[in-house]
Amino acid sequence: MKELEEKIRQFETVLPGNVLKVDAFLNHQVDPVLMQHIGQEFAARFKDAKITKVWTVESSGIAPAVMTGLALGVPVIFARKHKSLTLNSGMYTADVYSYTKKTTNRISISKRYVDKTDRVLLIDDFLANGQAVEGMLQIADQAGVEVVGAGIVIEKCFQPGSAELAAKGVRVESLAKVSSLADGQVSFKQTEGED
Ligand code: G4P
């Protein structure tokens, strides 16, 4: 998605550890117009998948997920990372290890908002080691719902997440594919037929 690649270039900052800083438009300050276009793009790519819900993990997945839900006309659930005062029992849970932050978060989704007949699209801001998507897949498994695929804003192709999801047969649609962050430079993987 050209508009997204241009935005990444505009704010190009690579932190030690191959971390791409995107807090100017995605992780902290949010560009609503870009998010709307991202949502429309995911909705177009999955338009025939009969999606009934969009799932993500708080916090940075929420903006693109909400815009995708708006474009598809379906509700959005964000898995919680923290214990909530009002959401105590009746939760599906999975443990998600963050290689980037070296912490484990238990993510949870309330059973109240999950229907056995749901067809779920998973959305996340980054696909790196694939742990967040893996956690949502575990929850989908517990809930017995079908996952139609994963929509990823920025895929880091040089990390193992995308290959692992492909090996599991999960359809992954990524809007920007970063092939390298070496020497502080962002390189994109060009795909055939890209706009
Ligand atoms: P995963 O995202 O595929 O699960 O892999 P990993 O365990 O490496 O990621 C852990 C956290 O680090 C995730 O955020 C992910 O979005 C973030 N992350 C991974 N690579 C990058 C990067 O290059 N740049 C930035 N800015 N973040 C990256 P999280 O813990 O879910 O945090 P949140 O921001 O969604 O709250």
Side-chain angles (χ1 to χ4, degrees):
M1 185 182 173
K2 264 223 153 37
E3 182 186 359
L4 175 61
E5 290 187 4
E6 281 166 11
K7 192 66 89 171
I8 293 169
R9 283 255 177 264
Q10 186 186 342
F11 294 101
E12 188 162 338
T13 311
V14 179
L15 302 177
N18 277 332
V19 172
L20 178 64
K21 198 166 155 67
V22 290
D23 62 357
F25 58 93
L26 180 57
N27 278 170
H28 187 40
Q29 177 171 257
V30 174
D31 181 332
V33 174
L34 177 66
M35 289 309 127
Q36 187 179 36
H37 294 164
I38 284 171
Q40 289 165 344
E41 181 65 28
F42 283 136
R45 293 192 189 197
F46 287 97
K47 69 177 184 326
D48 298 323
K50 299 189 171 70
I51 291 156
T52 63
K53 294 239 171 86
V54 172
W55 288 8
T56 190
V57 178
E58 67 175 342
S59 54
S60 302
I62 295 176
V66 167
M67 289 303 176
T68 306
L70 180 67
L72 288 167
V74 301
V76 178
I77 300 177
F78 61 91
R80 306 288 296 253
K81 279 183 186 162
H82 307 286
K83 284 213 174 81
S84 155
L85 288 175
T86 53
L87 300 172
N88 285 323
S89 57
M91 309 292 286
Y92 296 112
T93 63
D95 288 334
V96 172
Y97 179 71
S98 164
Y99 286 94
T100 310
K101 296 175 182 169
K102 312 246 180 307
T103 52
T104 299
N105 281 301
R106 176 155 295 180
I107 63 166
S108 49
I109 286 182
S110 170
K111 292 179 181 173
R112 180 186 303 208
Y113 303 112
V114 177
D115 297 321
K116 295 276 172 223
T117 53
D118 272 339
R119 292 175 58 79
V120 174
L121 173 63
L122 310 177
I123 296 285
D124 211 0
D125 57 339
F126 276 96
L127 176 60
N129 289 286
Q131 297 301 297
V133 171
E134 177 56 41
M136 288 192 278
L137 287 173
Q138 282 177 27
I139 289 180
D141 231 34
Q142 293 166 34
V145 302
E146 185 157 352
V147 172
V148 303
I152 302 296
V153 179
I154 302 171
E155 176 183 330
K156 294 163 86 180
C157 307
F158 55 91
Q159 292 190 251
S162 43
E164 283 173 16
L165 292 181
K168 287 189 166 167
V170 178
R171 176 182 171 196
V172 178
E173 292 286 342
S174 306
L175 303 189
K177 294 187 177 186
V178 173
S179 56
S180 167
L181 294 173
D183 304 321
Q185 301 265 310
V186 181
S187 303
F188 293 109
K189 180 175 167 185
Q190 291 308 327
T191 46
E192 225 177 300
E194 209 173 35
D195 57 349

